[in-house]
Amino acid sequence: IYPYRGKISAVDTANVIQQFSKNKILLDPFCGTGTIVFEGYRHGLNVIGVDRNPLAIIVTKGKLSLENTTESSILKETGTIVEKSKKIKKYKPMPPEAKKAFHKDTAIQIMQMKECYDEMSDYLKSIFCGAICLTARGCNNYMWTSTTVGKDIQPKRFINFYEKFSAKAKKHFVNFSSNKKSSVFLDDSRNLTSIIPKKSIDYVFTSPPYFDALDYTAYYAKFVMPILGIDRLEVKKDLIQFIKTYEE
């Protein structure tokens, strides 16, 4: 759904989680975009995810929201959002730090749809974020990789954002059912005792963050966060920790 840096393999994750007893509570204290909590939820575990990155939390909530959802309802919502976006005449200009990555007409489409963001389901909010990344690649003639932003390619190529958004919503839909509980917290894992009752967790499974070795607000996040109205530099202050804080 979203090209998040440093993701754990979903296949490796599922292989580990299949060894866990169902009906237990699984915690991922550094959940990122939710690979571990999503696979745990599908396996029949109650899951709790915690992360300090608001963009990661958007994507995690999007994955978990697919529970007991039908493809037809997703496609209907997608079509409604697209048609409403096309008719919007008043929209905010794209922030300068994001605008440089897109064809001017593509940027208009993105900001038209941004006006509908609060009306979207959690799943479509995550799709919106991922579609921005995919479209940025296209506007730069697909010279960037799926996870890495490359040099500024001129002239920009027009990419129809509505089409990318619709195709992505259909592509990533997964039909599954679960009667378990899922909770996702935007917080610092050093505050776990204020979030989760003591002795309430059965399993802890995580892929630890890269701290100062990887900037989670760089690459495509440089475009997505400003469009969403997220202060990227403020988020970066919380995410760039150092090895000395790992034990803490």
Side-chain angles (χ1 to χ4, degrees):
I1 292 178
Y2 184 90
Y4 199 67
R5 300 276 290 174
K7 289 188 294 186
I8 188 172
S9 161
V11 174
D12 291 342
T13 298
N15 287 338
V16 172
I17 286 177
Q18 287 171 8
Q19 302 175 54
F20 295 166
S21 299
K22 297 183 179 182
N23 303 313
K24 300 292 185 179
I25 300 177
L26 167 70
L27 166 68
D28 183 351
F30 306 109
C31 70
T33 51
T35 300
I36 291 174
V37 292
F38 178 71
E39 294 297 337
Y41 199 46
R42 289 208 299 174
H43 179 64
L45 293 163
N46 298 293
V47 297
I48 299 173
V50 181
D51 204 275
R52 201 70 184 93
N53 188 344
L55 180 53
I57 292 297
I58 290 170
V59 179
T60 297
K61 286 183 175 180
K63 293 176 181 177
L64 293 172
S65 71
L66 286 172
E67 174 203 4
N68 299 320
T69 304
T70 64
E71 184 178 35
S72 60
S73 67
I74 290 294
L75 295 180
K76 181 179 179 180
E77 182 194 4
T78 302
T80 299
I81 292 293
V82 169
E83 290 307 311
K84 184 172 182 178
S85 299
K86 289 179 179 179
K87 298 175 183 177
I88 291 176
K89 302 299 181 182
K90 292 184 178 181
Y91 49 86
K92 294 180 180 178
M94 182 174 283
E97 57 267 49
K99 187 176 180 180
K100 60 186 179 183
F102 300 95
H103 186 281
K104 61 182 180 62
D105 293 332
T106 303
I108 289 173
Q109 292 180 339
I110 292 172
M111 297 312 294
Q112 283 177 312
M113 187 171 286
K114 173 58 173 62
E115 294 295 317
C116 301
Y117 180 80
D118 291 338
E119 303 173 26
M120 297 179 190
S121 64
D122 285 340
Y123 175 64
L124 287 192
K125 286 178 179 177
S126 69
I127 291 297
F128 179 72
C129 296
I132 291 173
C133 305
L134 180 59
T135 304
R137 284 186 67 206
C139 287
N140 286 271
N141 287 285
Y142 295 100
M143 298 298 289
W144 300 351
T145 71
S146 59
T147 57
T148 304
V149 172
K151 66 180 181 178
D152 186 26
I153 306 296
Q154 295 293 342
K156 297 300 181 193
R157 176 178 176 180
F158 171 69
I159 299 294
N160 189 311
F161 182 74
Y162 302 134
E163 292 179 358
K164 292 297 182 185
F165 177 82
S166 300
K168 201 167 182 62
K170 180 177 177 62
K171 175 183 178 181
H172 294 288
F173 176 80
V174 176
N175 187 14
F176 74 99
S177 298
S178 176
N179 60 356
K180 303 306 175 186
K181 295 180 180 179
S182 65
S183 301
V184 183
F185 298 95
L186 174 61
D187 213 317
D188 191 317
S189 289
R190 289 170 290 187
N191 299 329
L192 283 178
T193 52
S194 65
I195 304 171
I196 303 167
K198 292 183 178 180
K199 299 183 179 180
S200 65
I201 302 299
D202 299 298
Y203 302 116
V204 178
F205 179 21
T206 194
S207 175
Y210 288 83
F211 292 99
D212 58 324
L214 181 60
D215 182 358
Y216 291 92
T217 67
Y219 303 101
Y220 289 98
K222 290 193 295 184
F223 313 132
V224 180
M225 285 185 170
I227 290 172
L228 294 179
I230 297 172
D231 190 327
R232 187 176 72 87
L233 296 181
E234 284 299 313
V235 173
K236 183 176 180 177
K237 291 178 184 178
D238 288 327
L239 293 182
I240 303 299
Q241 301 293 332
F242 300 93
I243 294 300
K244 65 183 180 181
T245 64
Y246 205 146
E247 184 176 357
E248 181 184 3

